[in-house]
Amino acid sequence: MKISVIGAGYVGLTTAACLAQVGHDVFCSESDLEKLAKLEAGVMPLFEPHLEDVINSVRKAGRLCFGSTEEAIAWGEAIFICVGTPPLANGDADLSAIEEVARMIAKHASGYRLVIEKSTVPVQTGGQLQKHLSVHSKNGLSYDVASNPEFLREGSSVQDFLHPDRIVIGVDSPRAEGLLRQIYEPIIHQMFTCPIHANCPQRSQPVFLATDTNSAELIKHASNSFLAMKISFINMVANLCEVVGADVTKVAQGMGLDPRIGAAFLNPGIGFGGFCFPKDVQAFIRIAEKSGCDFSLLREVEKINQHRVEHFIEKIRKELWVVRGKKIAVWGLAFKPNTDDVRFAPSIAIVKALLAEGSVIRAYDPEAVEKARVLLPDVTYCADAYQAAEGADAIVVLTEWDEFRKLDWTRLATLVERPLIIDGRNALPPQELAAHGFHYIGIGGVAATPEAVQSLARATA
Ligand code: UGA
């Protein structure tokens, strides 16, 4: 099918590349001309595992082109809207980019178009789109509007697109449903060449759920808000563990074994960040408020999350006593591993606060340095985790990159001024580090000291 994708952010680029990968002819537009030029020149504007390879291969096969919004509107019978919906000051989603695209479709398109909202939008946006298209259409446009929320995680978006658990569509006509089924047919039946694994192990067929547009829109916000609630819940349990002397990893393990709860998203830490959860929880609260439903539960989720940064800094203060003048090695700046995204990352707030208290920050992140540099110009950026640790009074882990787990602890111990690790993600092995002379402090009562490891060794000898 001829498909257009409007907006080449994480969602738009992944959608365009993966739809081309499964056999469609895709045109992807981007209004930021600098970004567009990069894409046309084969330069990736963001880091996302596997995405560059997929884009290169589908472009070579002639199934993906980049260009202007007008060209995209003229190209596809189905048009996916993947533009940004950033938060406004009052927490509402800013829908101006969506409105602008709708206006352009109404102005430039003729014949039939299936207009699909993939960007995360408040419930009833589909209805507004319908109205807007009908008011502004000029050239005898006929159309359907559908919702098709994305459930892509940054860092594994190609995997999530090609091997989803579910595909949700919100449609109000059989024609729209038929077209969306046709678009997703290769993915529903897992009939395509997987660019990630030659003998792809994940070939289970996703559930294809068709609902009305309002319900599909709500599924997206409700899913993200629920996951954020799970994280805030375990973060409160972590606080309790610290006070009463329990270990949150054991508590989470015990809870997660109940299939009704599930083990995923029970990792405590410095709070959820990124461009989805913080803004989606805010937007969902506003949607509920405007509809007369007091969703105060989500206000608590937000409040708990906002307090994570201060809670973590307090841990650092407690250990360093005086923060001013101390050298702190920061490992990880991205809001989570396998991405270079630092938007709403708790790491940024933590580093800003530590700088404001007068500490000297030497930071390392495998991918996010370029983007962090813009927000944190007063940090010394290092080539690797070892370099960041040189002369450090404390190492602080803010993103759980896999490579941090595989370091040479003996070498690390020779580099630091004081062997202290404060791990905001419970990412490193406490006992192993303590055996190498480090005092390790994690989240939720996870801790280890060289003395405790030695006395345990003596007791078992
Ligand atoms: C999230 C959802 O997981 C996707 O399903 C959704 O499509 C996407 O938002 C979106 O709306 O576009 P993403 O923001 O990429 O995806 O990242 P997550 O893996 O969900 O992590 C979000 C934040 O929660 C990160 O800061 C992460 O460190 C934190 N987190 C996650 C925890 O603190 N603990 C956990 O147990 C899990």
Side-chain angles (χ1 to χ4, degrees):
M1 243 173 105
K2 281 171 79 174
I3 294 172
S4 297
V5 175
I6 298 184
Y10 287 96
V11 173
L13 266 186
T14 305
T15 302
C18 292
L19 288 176
Q21 175 72 26
V22 303
H24 299 296
D25 291 318
V26 183
F27 192 101
C28 180
S29 74
E30 173 54 53
S31 58
D32 175 339
L33 295 181
E34 206 180 308
K35 199 166 167 189
L36 180 60
K38 271 189 177 177
L39 286 166
E40 282 175 326
V43 178
M44 283 292 285
L46 50 87
F47 169 74
E48 183 63 37
H50 307 293
L51 189 54
E52 187 170 5
D53 291 345
V54 177
I55 289 178
N56 288 341
S57 119
V58 292
R59 283 188 85 195
K60 218 162 134 195
R63 289 202 306 276
L64 174 65
C65 305
F66 295 105
S68 70
T69 309
E70 287 84 348
E71 288 172 293
I73 289 168
W75 172 263
E77 182 180 4
I79 302 176
F80 282 87
I81 304 180
C82 300
V83 295
T85 52
L88 290 168
N90 67 358
D92 277 343
D94 179 355
L95 300 179
S96 52
I98 301 229
E99 199 227 34
E100 166 78 8
V101 171
R103 200 182 47 75
M104 288 180 82
I105 295 173
K107 190 170 161 202
H108 296 292
S110 55
Y112 176 82
R113 292 291 186 283
L114 173 62
V115 180
I116 307 154
E117 29 163 72
K118 208 169 216 349
S119 307
T120 301
V121 291
V123 62
Q124 296 182 330
T125 300
Q128 292 290 354
L129 262 176
Q130 294 257 12
K131 212 188 296 172
H132 211 71
L133 288 169
S134 100
V135 168
H136 294 284
S137 71
K138 295 241 166 21
N139 305 315
L141 171 69
S142 70
Y143 58 86
D144 279 304
V145 170
S147 162
N148 172 218
E150 51 86 13
F151 303 106
L152 310 175
R153 292 162 299 174
E154 284 183 23
S156 55
S157 67
V158 173
Q159 167 79 23
D160 291 348
F161 196 100
L162 293 173
H163 304 295
D165 325 303
R166 70 227 202 260
I167 296 167
V168 173
I169 63 160
V171 283
D172 300 312
S173 83
R175 183 174 187 179
E177 179 171 344
L179 282 170
L180 275 155
R181 274 189 192 278
Q182 201 182 321
I183 291 169
Y184 282 109
E185 191 76 355
I187 296 177
I188 295 170
H189 298 292
Q190 292 287 293
M191 280 173 11
F192 57 86
T193 309
C194 177
I196 304 174
H197 313 98
N199 294 312
C200 186
Q202 270 162 297
R203 283 284 181 187
S204 56
Q205 297 195 357
V207 174
F208 186 85
L209 177 67
T211 70
D212 57 283
T213 314
N214 285 346
S215 302
E217 290 166 340
L218 266 186
I219 285 170
K220 169 68 190 192
H221 264 135
S223 300
N224 274 6
S225 298
F226 190 87
L227 291 171
M229 180 182 74
K230 248 185 131 177
I231 299 169
S232 279
F233 187 93
I234 201 67
N235 279 332
M236 278 313 290
V237 175
N239 284 0
L240 192 57
C241 287
E242 285 172 9
V243 180
V244 302
D247 178 335
V248 72
T249 49
K250 299 281 183 301
V251 178
Q253 190 186 2
M255 288 168 63
L257 287 168
D258 182 334
R260 292 170 304 173
I261 297 175
F265 277 68
L266 285 181
N267 301 318
I270 53 175
F272 55 78
F275 203 59
C276 302
F277 284 0
K279 85 170 166 67
D280 288 355
V281 170
Q282 263 186 30
F284 206 38
I285 292 171
R286 288 285 297 155
I287 293 163
E289 243 168 38
K290 286 197 274 187
S291 317
C293 301
D294 182 8
F295 215 148
S296 55
L297 173 67
L298 289 181
R299 271 198 291 274
E300 282 303 313
V301 168
E302 213 183 12
K303 205 168 100 193
I304 293 166
N305 198 54
Q306 282 159 359
H307 194 247
R308 295 314 289 166
V309 168
E310 180 53 28
H311 182 79
F312 189 67
I313 291 168
E314 195 47 48
K315 264 184 201 293
I316 299 173
R317 280 193 205 112
K318 201 171 149 200
E319 286 309 314
L320 292 184
W321 189 23
V322 174
V323 173
R324 177 168 300 279
K326 295 280 162 61
K327 257 194 192 173
I328 301 179
V330 167
W331 285 0
L333 292 161
F335 83 99
K336 65 174 200 172
N338 303 321
T339 174
D340 61 352
D341 198 348
V342 294
R343 290 174 298 173
F344 300 97
S347 56
I348 302 296
I350 289 169
V351 173
K352 276 188 179 164
L354 292 174
L355 286 170
E357 291 199 22
S359 65
V360 177
I361 306 283
R362 291 166 63 81
Y364 167 68
D365 187 286
E367 294 293 339
V369 167
E370 206 182 309
K371 289 187 173 159
R373 213 185 277 280
V374 181
L375 302 174
L376 301 170
D378 297 328
V379 162
T380 303
Y381 293 96
C382 299
D384 59 31
Y386 296 115
Q387 201 185 76
E390 282 169 16
D393 294 292
I395 295 171
V396 160
V397 182
L398 300 183
T399 315
E400 66 275 38
W401 285 95
D402 217 24
E403 67 173 65
F404 298 156
R405 300 187 177 99
K406 299 172 188 156
L407 295 173
D408 175 346
W409 310 131
T410 312
R411 178 177 169 200
L412 189 66
T414 64
L415 298 173
V416 293
E417 172 69 24
R418 178 179 166 193
L420 168 65
I421 296 189
I422 308 176
D423 185 350
R425 300 290 189 171
N426 287 349
L428 305 184
Q431 303 303 325
E432 219 177 291
L433 280 158
H436 285 82
F438 283 91
H439 183 174
Y440 175 94
I441 299 167
I443 300 284
V446 180
T449 60
E451 297 75 33
V453 168
Q454 279 157 15
S455 75
L456 184 70
R458 273 196 299 275
T460 49

